[in-house]
Structures are given as C-alpha cells and as structure tokens.
Amino acid sequence: PILIDQEGGRVNRLKNIISFENLTSEFFGKKFIKKPKEFNFFYKLFIDKTTYLLKLIGVNINTCPVLDLRNKGSSSIIGDRSFSSNPKIVSKIGDYCINYHHNNGLGTVIKHIPGHGLALFDSHLKISVIHNKKKYLIKNDFLPFKRSKSFFAMTAHLIYSSYDAKHTVTHSKKIIRDVIRKKIGFKGILISDDISMKALKYNLYENATKALDAGCNLVLHCNGKIKEMKKLSKIIPLIDVFTQKKTSQFYNFLG
C-alpha cells in the first residue's frame, strides 16, 4: 500500500506538478447543489486527472474523501475540505469519490471516522472533546460514513464524551467496536490518523500500541522522522489475520 493525501484544495501534495488549490471539496459541494450536471462532469474529470497522476507516480491509495461535516464555530482544520454541512450531500459526493477512484483502480480512505466536523481545535495541536448527544451524532456526523464501500477508513483523534469520556476514538475500544464497526457498519481496514499528532497524549510507542489494542488494524506515523519509524517498526506486532485477509482483497482489486 502506497498512500498519499491528495484531496485537492489546500491538501495538494502534487502542487509542484499541477494546481488544484481552487478545487476544494466545498467548491464541488456547492456545484452539486446549484449545477448538478456541471458537478457530474467536472468532478469526474477532477478524479480522473488526480488518479491518473497518482498511478503515474506509483500511488495506489488516496486518503480521501473527507466525510466530515462543516460546522460553524468549529476549527478551520476541516473547513473547505468538507463537501457540506448536510450529511446526506456529504454521503452522496463521498460515494461518487470512492466509486470514481475504484473505477480507476485506486483505493480510498474515508476520514475522519466517525466525524471530525465538530472539533473545536486542530488535532495536530490539541485534543477536542465533543459533548453532543448520541442521537444527534448518529443523525448527523456519523451518517456520511455509514455502509461505505471504501477499503480503508481513518480514525479521528477526538473524544466523544457521550460514548467514551476518557479515550480518543483512535484509542477507544468502545467507539471502534460499537460505533465504527456496529452502528456505522464499516467492514474494511481501520487506520489511525498520524500517531505523532499532539491530540494523542502518550509517547509514540504507547500511541501506536493503544491504537492497535483498541481495534485499529494499522497505524500511521507521518512526521517523516526516520529514526522514530525504525524504532516503531521493531516493536509493533505483525498484522493480524483479519488485516492480512482484507489487504489480500485489496491487492486482488488492484489486479
């Protein structure tokens, strides 16, 4: 698996090759509402060009779509990376994104499951605690992730106090089991967000092992510090049978 963050908009790792800065998820969300025919044409073209470039450089997984809702008063870390504040619109465009990637032979990673839109802080820097009630979360933030056909999903480094007042989603057995696996029904490989982010309070080793113990199948370490990566690679256990099976399914999909 070779992953890249290539959402478009400000999350554009290929900016030295092609400019996607104006093609934000918000742009496509508005286009979807106001001019659906234009949306269908331009969004497919956008994904086709993106996947062509990714395959050209050897990437086989794009860590998108962002299925988080846009909420007033929340941190700008999501902002225009969200398609909409309407969960049904986010869900529909997310399905387009996944299907277009799959049709072009690339995997996707839905993020940040079960929803990052209510976060008050950037989880790269600080933890956010979400106090909304379960009923609200199920009807809103959790809805876009439900029954997704994506092979992969990425966890949110947030605390949902109505489910688990102590642990972030990444470290919460209860949320991964009861919300992500059962309520949302995600059946694929669950990946942690970057374990070097400051929203996680432990050291790298504990952040990684606690994520795996909670039910994440893989952990991401993305700060580029190779010495840390080498240490982690020696102490993190081999992938389990479930992850091996799902990875094989993904490889079969790639052909």
Side-chain angles (χ1 to χ4, degrees):
I2 302 175
L3 290 74
I4 192 172
D5 268 336
Q6 185 57 35
E7 299 170 9
R10 56 192 154 107
V11 183
N12 179 19
R13 309 303 186 202
L14 304 178
K15 60 186 176 182
N16 290 334
I17 301 173
I18 192 167
S19 175
F20 285 143
E21 279 75 10
N22 295 325
L23 301 178
T24 64
S25 293
E26 180 185 52
F27 168 82
F28 286 114
K30 289 179 178 179
K31 186 75 71 178
F32 178 84
I33 297 169
K34 295 178 180 179
K35 297 181 179 180
K37 288 185 179 179
E38 280 191 17
F39 165 82
N40 289 333
F41 175 79
F42 285 113
Y43 194 58
K44 185 178 186 303
L45 182 63
F46 168 69
I47 300 297
D48 284 348
K49 294 297 183 184
T50 299
T51 53
Y52 171 78
L53 288 170
L54 297 187
K55 292 180 80 171
L56 208 60
I57 62 174
V59 171
N60 52 30
I61 302 171
N62 192 7
T63 59
C64 71
V66 172
L67 299 184
D68 307 315
L69 303 184
R70 187 162 192 176
N71 286 287
K72 289 183 179 180
S74 296
S75 167
S76 61
I77 189 60
I78 299 301
D80 61 8
R81 296 167 65 196
S82 172
F83 294 116
S84 175
S85 59
N86 184 322
K88 291 182 179 179
I89 290 174
V90 173
S91 180
K92 287 179 181 178
I93 301 178
D95 286 343
Y96 278 115
C97 182
I98 293 164
N99 290 336
Y100 289 156
H101 275 79
H102 285 183
N103 289 342
N104 291 340
L106 264 81
T108 57
V109 183
I110 52 174
K111 60 187 185 186
H112 306 80
I113 200 168
H116 204 293
L118 291 167
L120 295 177
F121 307 107
D122 179 352
S123 53
H124 293 86
L125 307 173
K126 190 175 180 179
I127 185 69
S128 294
V129 181
I130 310 302
H131 296 293
N132 298 61
K133 293 182 178 180
K134 292 180 180 180
K135 190 174 181 180
Y136 175 89
L137 295 169
I138 291 167
K139 287 185 176 181
N140 292 277
D141 291 69
F142 297 175
L143 190 147
F145 296 91
K146 199 158 188 180
R147 289 186 291 273
S148 173
K149 294 181 181 179
S150 179
F151 284 101
F152 306 91
M154 182 186 294
T155 59
H157 292 335
L158 308 173
I159 289 176
Y160 283 97
S161 61
S162 58
Y163 284 95
D164 188 335
K166 182 179 179 182
H167 302 101
T168 63
V169 172
T170 306
H171 289 159
S172 175
K173 290 183 181 180
K174 182 175 178 59
I175 293 178
I176 290 175
R177 181 189 67 231
D178 296 344
V179 177
I180 295 175
R181 293 304 190 186
K182 292 183 181 179
K183 180 65 69 175
I184 291 174
F186 179 69
K187 305 297 184 184
I189 293 177
L190 189 63
I191 305 173
S192 77
D193 204 345
D194 181 10
I195 58 169
S196 62
M197 290 163 67
K198 291 182 170 56
L200 300 183
K201 63 182 179 178
Y202 305 102
N203 61 43
L204 283 175
Y205 171 72
E206 289 179 300
N207 283 340
T209 53
K210 287 179 181 294
L212 293 170
D213 289 343
C216 289
N217 306 118
L218 301 173
V219 293
L220 293 184
H221 177 265
C222 308
N223 65 13
K225 296 180 180 178
I226 195 66
K227 288 184 179 180
E228 292 180 357
M229 293 179 181
K230 286 181 177 178
K231 288 180 180 178
L232 282 170
S233 69
K234 293 178 181 178
I235 55 179
I236 297 301
L238 297 174
I239 60 173
D240 58 21
V241 174
F242 171 86
T243 310
Q244 289 180 40
K245 179 182 176 181
K246 291 293 180 178
T247 304
S248 294
Q249 290 174 359
F250 175 64
Y251 288 151
N252 288 334
F253 159 78
L254 291 178

